[in-house]
């Protein structure tokens, strides 16, 4: 399938203006001139062209600061759209959103098992194409597809070394070829960290650690204002920090990993075991459907179910033990609890703090603040959109 243009013409400067207005909402010619080190007439010319093309709108004058009030410009939020995809090990959420990160079509949630599923990639592509067709939005108006997914990912090359084998081809290029839309992929936890830094509780922070509390436990690290990826691009594997030598067997083949002891899937499995043993709880058995149990367990805990709270408290303490290691290494100012599990962040906070008091040097832990995400489960979808716009000015982005 031919890869469609998103309709932007005129080169790097106009693309950068669109990118900046996406992140900063509204700016003046003078501010854009200073940011890009371009003359005000050059910026004004580019903005006027973008207004004529329908990408930028005037947003009135800035509040008075004593001098002449500058005219502010904002992005036309419906000039283009982004197809954001948030994947975990069991399912994918697909959402078409505008340039203000608001949905313009109903979200589709599809079952898509990644582990030991050789049909996962063609299934994903089929879901994407079907969703686009049902949305009635022209592919030419979709700026790009951003996909967050678990696994060891080389975001530059667009390769997932863990899941969705594209037969040696770049996964992002393969999906782009099959959908006709420029595609970017990245690790789910990295995208959640990007979302928190650009639009969430860690907005504009240069140094922050973001914990992705999903079916697994991930870590996105923002250092010097950018995602820190490490030497091979795989930094942040908090889930495989060993908590014990004789703990539960992890999917990585080792024992005692944080993910094998405290992930939401593990907590759900423990809930099923407790119900079988007759524990008093409002929870009902889901007979191996850990995803349903995990959602019910979080809801039950927030409603005061003592068994659910007990399970989450135990998981929180183990997460806190892992965070103590992270604090000793990174000495972060802030750690954000984000992702699916942010909805029980207040319950997890106390046992995490208890573990930090026990395992962390006070001089280090006292300087780190724990924060609960306001984006929560939406963070990965927003991060997928951010991924597209972060790359909007790149030369390899398809243009008209």
């Amino acid at each position: 399938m031919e890869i469609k243009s998103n309709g932007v013409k005129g080169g790097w400067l106009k693309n950068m203006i669109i990118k900046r207005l996406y992140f900063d909402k509204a700016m003046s010619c003078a501010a854009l001139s200073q940011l890009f080190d371009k003359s005000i007439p050059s910026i004004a010319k580019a903005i006027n062209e973008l207004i004529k093309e329908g990408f930028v709108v005037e947003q009135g004058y800035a509040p008075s600061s004593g001098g002449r009030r500058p005219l502010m410009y904002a992005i036309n939020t419906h000039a283009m759209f982004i197809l954001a995809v948030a994947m975990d090990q069991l399912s994918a959420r697909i959402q078409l959103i505008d340039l203000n990160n608001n949905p313009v079509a109903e979200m589709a949630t599809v079952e898509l098992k990644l582990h030991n599923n050789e049909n996962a990639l063609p299934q994903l592509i089929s879901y994407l194409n079907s969703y686009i067709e049902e949305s009635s939005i022209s592919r030419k108006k979709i700026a790009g597809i951003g996909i967050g997914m678990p696994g060891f990912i080389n975001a530059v090359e667009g390769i997932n070394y863990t899941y969705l084998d594209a037969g040696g081809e770049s996964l992002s290029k393969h999906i782009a070829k099959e959908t006709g839309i420029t595609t970017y992929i990245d690790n789910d936890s990295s995208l959640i960290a990007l979302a928190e830094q650009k639009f969430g509780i860690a907005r504009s922070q240069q140094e922050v650690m973001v914990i992705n509390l999903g079916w697994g436990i991930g870590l996105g690290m923002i250092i010097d204002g950018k995602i820190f990826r490490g030497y091979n691009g795989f930094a942040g594997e908090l889930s495989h920090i060993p908590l014990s030598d004789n703990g539960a067997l992890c999917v990585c083949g080792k024992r005692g990993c944080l993910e094998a002891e405290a992930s939401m899937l593990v907590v759900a499995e423990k809930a099923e075991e407790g119900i079988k043993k007759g524990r008093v709880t409002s929870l009902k058995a889901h007979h191996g459907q850990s995803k349903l149990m995990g959602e019910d367990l979080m809801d039950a805990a927030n409603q005061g179910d003592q068994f659910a709270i007990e399970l989450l408290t135990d998981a929180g303490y183990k997460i806190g033990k892992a965070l103590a290691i992270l604090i000793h290494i990174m000495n972060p100012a802030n750690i954000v609890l984000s992702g699916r599990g942010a909805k029980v962040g207040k319950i997890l906070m106390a046992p995490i703090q208890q573990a930090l008091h026990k395992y962390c040097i006070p001089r280090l832990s006292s300087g780190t603040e724990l924060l609960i995400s306001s984006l929560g489960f939406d963070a990965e979808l927003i991060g997928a959109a951010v991924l597209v716009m972060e790359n909007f000015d790149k030369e390899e982005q398809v243009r008209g």
Side-chain angles (χ1 to χ4, degrees):
M1 188 181 292
E2 180 186 358
I3 300 178
K4 306 294 184 182
S5 163
N6 61 21
V8 181
K9 298 181 179 180
W12 175 84
L13 182 58
K14 287 164 70 174
N15 294 331
M16 280 300 299
I17 290 172
I18 290 175
K19 176 179 174 178
R20 283 273 44 94
L21 293 180
Y22 167 77
F23 287 115
D24 296 332
K25 302 306 181 187
M27 296 182 74
S28 67
C29 271
L32 289 165
S33 170
Q34 184 175 15
L35 180 65
F36 300 138
D37 194 24
K38 296 287 184 180
S39 68
I40 289 181
S42 296
I43 296 293
K45 179 176 181 291
I47 285 179
N48 286 331
E49 290 178 3
L50 287 169
I51 290 174
K52 290 178 181 178
E53 293 164 6
F55 291 102
V56 171
V57 295
E58 294 181 356
Q59 203 181 50
Y61 291 93
S64 176
S65 57
R68 184 178 178 180
R69 295 191 298 162
L71 184 60
M72 304 296 285
Y73 298 93
I75 201 162
N76 177 0
T77 58
H78 281 72
M80 296 181 296
F81 304 98
I82 301 168
L83 190 62
V85 184
M87 302 180 68
D88 57 36
Q89 294 94 331
L90 304 175
S91 63
R93 288 173 291 147
I94 307 171
Q95 178 81 77
L96 197 62
I97 62 177
D98 64 20
L99 295 181
N100 202 27
N101 295 330
N102 290 321
V104 295
E106 286 213 20
M107 182 174 67
T109 301
V110 295
E111 296 299 317
L112 186 59
K113 183 181 177 183
L114 294 182
H115 189 59
N116 292 330
N117 181 9
E118 60 183 19
N119 294 316
L121 180 54
Q123 288 173 346
L124 172 62
I125 291 168
S126 176
Y127 288 136
L128 294 177
N129 281 322
S130 295
Y131 183 90
I132 295 166
E133 289 164 9
E134 291 172 9
S135 74
S136 299
I137 299 291
S138 168
R139 292 174 195 255
K140 289 184 178 181
K141 292 206 71 174
I142 299 177
I145 301 174
I147 309 178
M149 57 182 67
F152 292 114
I153 294 174
N154 182 326
V156 175
E157 298 295 331
I159 298 172
N160 188 333
Y161 294 100
T162 311
Y163 304 113
L164 300 166
D165 180 24
E169 183 184 5
S170 164
L171 178 58
S172 56
K173 290 180 180 178
H174 180 77
I175 295 173
K177 182 172 65 178
E178 295 296 323
T179 61
I181 301 170
T182 305
T183 301
Y184 302 96
I185 69 168
D186 206 339
N187 176 267
D188 51 355
S189 298
S190 293
L191 291 190
I192 286 173
L194 268 180
E196 295 293 349
Q197 188 211 24
K198 298 298 184 182
F199 295 108
I201 198 168
R203 187 173 180 118
S204 301
Q205 291 188 20
Q206 298 297 298
E207 317 281 340
V208 62
M209 304 289 109
V210 180
I211 309 302
N212 173 18
L213 299 172
W215 299 130
I217 300 173
L219 168 65
M221 297 188 286
I222 302 288
I223 298 177
D224 289 335
K226 299 178 182 178
I227 291 289
F228 178 75
R229 301 185 184 278
Y231 176 67
N232 287 327
F234 307 141
E237 282 299 318
L238 181 76
S239 58
H240 297 292
I241 285 182
L243 296 183
S244 64
D245 292 329
N246 55 0
L249 183 66
C250 181
V251 292
C252 73
K254 303 185 186 301
R255 288 193 174 275
C257 292
L258 174 64
E259 184 162 314
E261 298 286 339
S263 70
M264 198 57 66
L265 283 180
V266 169
V267 174
E269 290 167 2
K270 290 180 179 179
E272 293 278 4
E273 293 171 6
I275 292 170
K276 289 178 183 178
K277 294 177 180 178
R279 288 297 304 265
V280 176
T281 176
S282 63
L283 293 168
K284 305 298 182 184
H286 284 284
H287 305 293
Q289 294 180 293
S290 298
K291 182 178 177 180
L292 295 176
M293 175 56 80
E295 294 290 355
D296 285 355
L297 187 142
M298 288 189 286
D299 290 338
N302 282 329
Q303 293 167 11
D305 186 287
Q306 292 302 299
F307 179 49
I309 292 171
E310 177 187 317
L311 291 172
L312 288 172
T313 298
D314 178 66
Y317 187 81
K318 291 171 180 175
I319 292 169
K321 189 175 181 181
L323 294 187
I325 298 171
L326 180 64
I327 290 171
H328 284 154
I329 295 171
M330 300 304 298
N331 187 27
N334 297 288
I335 295 177
V336 178
L337 304 181
S338 187
R340 184 188 299 268
K343 68 190 294 185
V344 289
K346 291 182 179 179
I347 294 172
L348 294 171
M349 192 73 81
I352 288 175
Q353 289 283 16
Q354 183 182 3
L356 293 182
H357 287 312
K358 182 173 182 178
Y359 295 108
C360 228
I361 296 173
R363 185 176 293 276
L364 286 171
S365 61
S366 63
T368 299
E369 184 178 6
L370 282 177
L371 305 171
I372 300 173
S373 169
S374 58
L375 301 178
F377 196 31
D378 292 333
E380 189 179 347
L381 283 170
I382 294 172
V386 169
L387 178 64
V388 171
M389 297 309 293
E390 279 277 299
N391 286 281
F392 196 73
D393 58 318
K394 300 295 190 294
E395 290 182 3
E396 64 268 22
Q397 175 82 10
V398 176
R399 297 284 178 246

